[in-house]
Structure formats: structure tokens, C-alpha cells
Amino acid sequence: ELINFEIPNSVAHIGESAFCQCPLTNIEIPNSVTSMGINPFEGCTSLETITVEDGNQYYDSRNDCNAIIETATNTLITGCKNTIIPNTVTSIGSCSFMGSLYYDTNHLTSIEIPNSVTTIGEWAFGYCSVLSEVVFEENSQLDTIGEYAFYRCESLTGIDIPSSVVCIKKSAF
């Protein structure tokens, strides 16, 4: 059964994989949240919308992007199948879209990486088994593709790596 879950305003921290495999469809991060662990919504395959309450000083979901962005660093830290990465994001964080070997990921089939992104973190799209298309915007500033960034993306049959990339780390593909 799919559920909508409301995080209480008393919550200040959401831990790593806190909602792992939970059948969430929508989640709103309240103003009270000041820190998050890696990939708190890992394996939430039904997650369609992610929003951060207006006024949160640490995180945002600018431009209705369906993602959580760490405001201070412009790093996308958690995304879902409907995420559209804003052109103000400079980094895609570690494990931000990561799935798992044992269950399908967030059903992300394609993603466009804006030219503002300079790094893709380790395991960012790891185990995204149905990801079949990654498009980099023209004039990409991408510099680094992290370890295991696209590991076990079995549906990804090709990718045009931008000429700006100078570092592809261990087992990125």
C-alpha cells in the first residue's frame, strides 16, 4: 500500500537510509530538519514528489525539482524518479539516486545533467537498473565522475562523456 507520510516539525535529523524501501509517494521535509544522512529514501520506488518546506535554512527544492538540495553547497543530495536537476546545482551528491542490488531503484529512466554540475559523487546513480539515458547539457562543466557513479546501470548502453571531464574514478561504469 502506498502512503503519504508527514515528518513532524520536531525532527531535526533524518538518518542514512531512514525510510529504506518504504512505499512513500510524497515526502515534505519540514523547516526543523537541519541535517540528513546519505540517501534517506533509498529504495523508495514509488516516491514521486520530494519537497522541502519553504524557509528551511539548510535544504531546498528549488524550481519544484522533486529533490533535496543542500542550500549552502548547491549539492543535490536526494532525488526521485521525477527529479529535474536545476541549473543552479553544482554537484550531484554521493548516493543521491542510488538503488540496491536486491530491489529496483527509484525507476529513474533518464536524467539531464545541467552544465552547472561539476561533480557527480560516488554511487550517485549506482544500481539504477532502468536508467537508460544520461544527457549532459551543452557546454558542460563536469570535471569528475565519482567511484561507482553509474555502477550496475544495466539499461545504460551508451553515454557521451563531456570533454570537460578530467577524472573518472574507479568503477564509475
Side-chain angles (χ1 to χ4, degrees):
E1 180 178 324
L2 301 179
I3 60 171
N4 290 320
F5 180 79
E6 188 171 324
I7 297 173
N9 279 330
S10 59
V11 173
H13 175 75
I14 300 173
E16 179 176 337
S17 302
F19 294 89
C20 187
Q21 298 185 52
C22 188
L24 296 170
T25 55
N26 306 293
I27 193 74
E28 182 176 12
I29 306 302
N31 284 336
S32 60
V33 174
T34 60
S35 65
M36 281 190 231
I38 293 173
N39 202 0
F41 304 102
E42 176 186 349
C44 294
T45 61
S46 301
L47 192 56
E48 294 179 2
T49 60
I50 300 174
T51 56
V52 176
E53 186 178 15
D54 287 341
N56 186 302
Q57 296 179 31
Y58 302 93
Y59 302 100
D60 68 78
S61 292
R62 62 190 78 156
N63 304 336
D64 296 320
C65 63
N66 283 312
I68 300 170
I69 299 166
E70 186 177 57
T71 306
T73 62
N74 288 314
T75 299
L76 188 148
I77 61 167
T78 298
C80 69
K81 66 183 177 182
N82 295 324
T83 295
I84 298 172
I85 303 172
N87 63 6
T88 53
V89 167
T90 57
S91 180
I92 298 172
S94 296
C95 305
S96 52
F97 291 91
M98 189 180 94
S100 171
L101 175 62
Y102 303 107
Y103 50 87
D104 199 2
T105 185
N106 54 18
H107 300 294
L108 180 71
T109 58
S110 67
I111 193 78
E112 184 172 334
I113 312 289
N115 60 17
S116 59
V117 172
T118 59
T119 59
I120 296 176
E122 61 186 32
W123 294 100
F125 297 96
Y127 294 111
C128 285
S129 61
V130 296
L131 180 63
S132 62
E133 182 180 42
V134 177
V135 176
F136 294 96
E137 277 187 354
E138 212 171 297
N139 300 317
S140 175
Q141 301 300 306
L142 185 65
D143 178 77
T144 303
I145 299 173
E147 291 182 10
Y148 304 98
F150 294 96
Y151 185 75
R152 300 289 300 263
C153 292
E154 285 99 8
S155 298
L156 190 60
T157 58
I159 189 168
D160 291 329
I161 298 172
S163 60
S164 57
V165 173
V166 295
C167 182
I168 299 173
K169 297 193 175 183
K170 177 177 86 176
S171 299
F173 297 93

